PDB file of all heavy atoms in Angstrom:
ATOM      1  N   LYS C 417     -22.671  10.244  -1.126  1.00 80.00           N
ATOM      2  CA  LYS C 417     -23.149  11.623  -0.942  1.00 80.00           C
ATOM      3  C   LYS C 417     -23.654  11.936   0.460  1.00 80.00           C
ATOM      4  O   LYS C 417     -23.647  13.093   0.858  1.00 80.00           O
ATOM      5  CB  LYS C 417     -24.181  12.008  -2.010  1.00 80.00           C
ATOM      6  CG  LYS C 417     -25.288  11.012  -2.262  1.00 80.00           C
ATOM      7  CD  LYS C 417     -26.158  11.515  -3.415  1.00 80.00           C
ATOM      8  CE  LYS C 417     -27.112  10.486  -3.965  1.00 80.00           C
ATOM      9  NZ  LYS C 417     -26.502   9.214  -4.362  1.00 80.00           N
ATOM     10  N   CYS C 434       0.086   5.433  -8.786  1.00 98.00           N
ATOM     11  CA  CYS C 434      -1.150   6.052  -9.264  1.00 98.00           C
ATOM     12  C   CYS C 434      -0.784   7.371  -9.942  1.00 98.00           C
ATOM     13  O   CYS C 434       0.286   7.941  -9.689  1.00 98.00           O
ATOM     14  CB  CYS C 434      -2.087   6.350  -8.095  1.00 98.00           C
ATOM     15  SG  CYS C 434      -2.675   4.896  -7.239  1.00 98.00           S
ATOM     16  N   SER C 473       0.628  14.683  -1.693  1.00 98.00           N
ATOM     17  CA  SER C 473      -0.212  14.039  -0.673  1.00 98.00           C
ATOM     18  C   SER C 473       0.198  14.541   0.703  1.00 98.00           C
ATOM     19  O   SER C 473       1.178  15.275   0.847  1.00 98.00           O
ATOM     20  CB  SER C 473      -0.051  12.514  -0.742  1.00 98.00           C
ATOM     21  OG  SER C 473       1.253  12.143  -0.313  1.00 98.00           O
ATOM     22  N   ARG C 474      -0.542  14.153   1.730  1.00 98.00           N
ATOM     23  CA  ARG C 474      -0.184  14.538   3.101  1.00 98.00           C
ATOM     24  C   ARG C 474       0.831  13.589   3.713  1.00 98.00           C
ATOM     25  O   ARG C 474       1.707  13.984   4.465  1.00 98.00           O
ATOM     26  CB  ARG C 474      -1.438  14.558   4.000  1.00 98.00           C
ATOM     27  CG  ARG C 474      -2.539  15.501   3.583  1.00 98.00           C
ATOM     28  CD  ARG C 474      -2.125  16.968   3.599  1.00 98.00           C
ATOM     29  NE  ARG C 474      -1.571  17.438   4.868  1.00 98.00           N
ATOM     30  CZ  ARG C 474      -2.272  17.721   5.958  1.00 98.00           C
ATOM     31  NH1 ARG C 474      -3.586  17.599   5.957  1.00 98.00           N
ATOM     32  NH2 ARG C 474      -1.682  18.150   7.058  1.00 98.00           N
ATOM     33  N   LEU C 568      16.301  -3.444  -6.779  1.00 97.00           N
ATOM     34  CA  LEU C 568      15.387  -2.825  -7.745  1.00 97.00           C
ATOM     35  C   LEU C 568      15.888  -3.043  -9.174  1.00 97.00           C
ATOM     36  O   LEU C 568      15.103  -3.349 -10.081  1.00 97.00           O
ATOM     37  CB  LEU C 568      15.288  -1.330  -7.419  1.00 97.00           C
ATOM     38  CG  LEU C 568      14.030  -0.604  -7.859  1.00 97.00           C
ATOM     39  CD1 LEU C 568      12.787  -1.234  -7.279  1.00 97.00           C
ATOM     40  CD2 LEU C 568      14.120   0.862  -7.440  1.00 97.00           C
ATOM     41  N   TRP C 602       8.367  -2.096  -8.498  1.00 98.00           N
ATOM     42  CA  TRP C 602       8.477  -3.514  -8.863  1.00 98.00           C
ATOM     43  C   TRP C 602       8.359  -4.459  -7.667  1.00 98.00           C
ATOM     44  O   TRP C 602       9.222  -5.308  -7.457  1.00 98.00           O
ATOM     45  CB  TRP C 602       9.776  -3.790  -9.631  1.00 98.00           C
ATOM     46  CG  TRP C 602       9.744  -3.234 -11.017  1.00 98.00           C
ATOM     47  CD1 TRP C 602      10.534  -2.248 -11.532  1.00 98.00           C
ATOM     48  CD2 TRP C 602       8.849  -3.613 -12.072  1.00 98.00           C
ATOM     49  NE1 TRP C 602      10.185  -1.992 -12.845  1.00 98.00           N
ATOM     50  CE2 TRP C 602       9.152  -2.813 -13.196  1.00 98.00           C
ATOM     51  CE3 TRP C 602       7.795  -4.547 -12.181  1.00 98.00           C
ATOM     52  CZ2 TRP C 602       8.464  -2.913 -14.404  1.00 98.00           C
ATOM     53  CZ3 TRP C 602       7.111  -4.642 -13.388  1.00 98.00           C
ATOM     54  CH2 TRP C 602       7.457  -3.839 -14.479  1.00 98.00           C
ATOM     55  N   GLY C 629       6.703 -26.958  -9.316  1.00 98.00           N
ATOM     56  CA  GLY C 629       7.564 -26.296  -8.325  1.00 98.00           C
ATOM     57  C   GLY C 629       7.554 -24.791  -8.436  1.00 98.00           C
ATOM     58  O   GLY C 629       8.510 -24.122  -8.049  1.00 98.00           O
ATOM     59  N   TYR C 636      -5.352  -8.817  -5.642  1.00 97.00           N
ATOM     60  CA  TYR C 636      -5.886  -9.376  -4.415  1.00 97.00           C
ATOM     61  C   TYR C 636      -7.342  -9.743  -4.664  1.00 97.00           C
ATOM     62  O   TYR C 636      -7.925  -9.278  -5.639  1.00 97.00           O
ATOM     63  CB  TYR C 636      -5.875  -8.314  -3.281  1.00 97.00           C
ATOM     64  CG  TYR C 636      -4.475  -7.904  -2.858  1.00 97.00           C
ATOM     65  CD1 TYR C 636      -3.874  -6.792  -3.416  1.00 97.00           C
ATOM     66  CD2 TYR C 636      -3.787  -8.633  -1.906  1.00 97.00           C
ATOM     67  CE1 TYR C 636      -2.579  -6.416  -3.016  1.00 97.00           C
ATOM     68  CE2 TYR C 636      -2.500  -8.246  -1.498  1.00 97.00           C
ATOM     69  CZ  TYR C 636      -1.906  -7.153  -2.061  1.00 97.00           C
ATOM     70  OH  TYR C 636      -0.649  -6.776  -1.690  1.00 97.00           O
ATOM     71  N   TYR C 645     -16.936  -6.416   4.277  1.00 98.00           N
ATOM     72  CA  TYR C 645     -17.231  -5.187   3.537  1.00 98.00           C
ATOM     73  C   TYR C 645     -18.474  -5.355   2.673  1.00 98.00           C
ATOM     74  O   TYR C 645     -19.213  -4.393   2.447  1.00 98.00           O
ATOM     75  CB  TYR C 645     -16.012  -4.747   2.722  1.00 98.00           C
ATOM     76  CG  TYR C 645     -14.920  -4.214   3.643  1.00 98.00           C
ATOM     77  CD1 TYR C 645     -13.837  -5.002   4.007  1.00 98.00           C
ATOM     78  CD2 TYR C 645     -15.030  -2.948   4.212  1.00 98.00           C
ATOM     79  CE1 TYR C 645     -12.873  -4.534   4.888  1.00 98.00           C
ATOM     80  CE2 TYR C 645     -14.069  -2.468   5.097  1.00 98.00           C
ATOM     81  CZ  TYR C 645     -12.990  -3.263   5.432  1.00 98.00           C
ATOM     82  OH  TYR C 645     -12.054  -2.796   6.315  1.00 98.00           O
ATOM     83  N   ALA C 659     -12.898  -7.223 -13.063  1.00 98.00           N
ATOM     84  CA  ALA C 659     -12.211  -7.619 -14.305  1.00 98.00           C
ATOM     85  C   ALA C 659     -10.716  -7.820 -14.046  1.00 98.00           C
ATOM     86  O   ALA C 659     -10.097  -8.723 -14.608  1.00 98.00           O
ATOM     87  CB  ALA C 659     -12.421  -6.565 -15.395  1.00 98.00           C
TER      88      ALA C 659
END
Side-chain angles (χ1 to χ4, degrees):
K417 48 184 167 307
C434 295
S473 69
R474 300 297 306 284
L568 205 58
W602 288 116
Y636 294 94
Y645 288 100

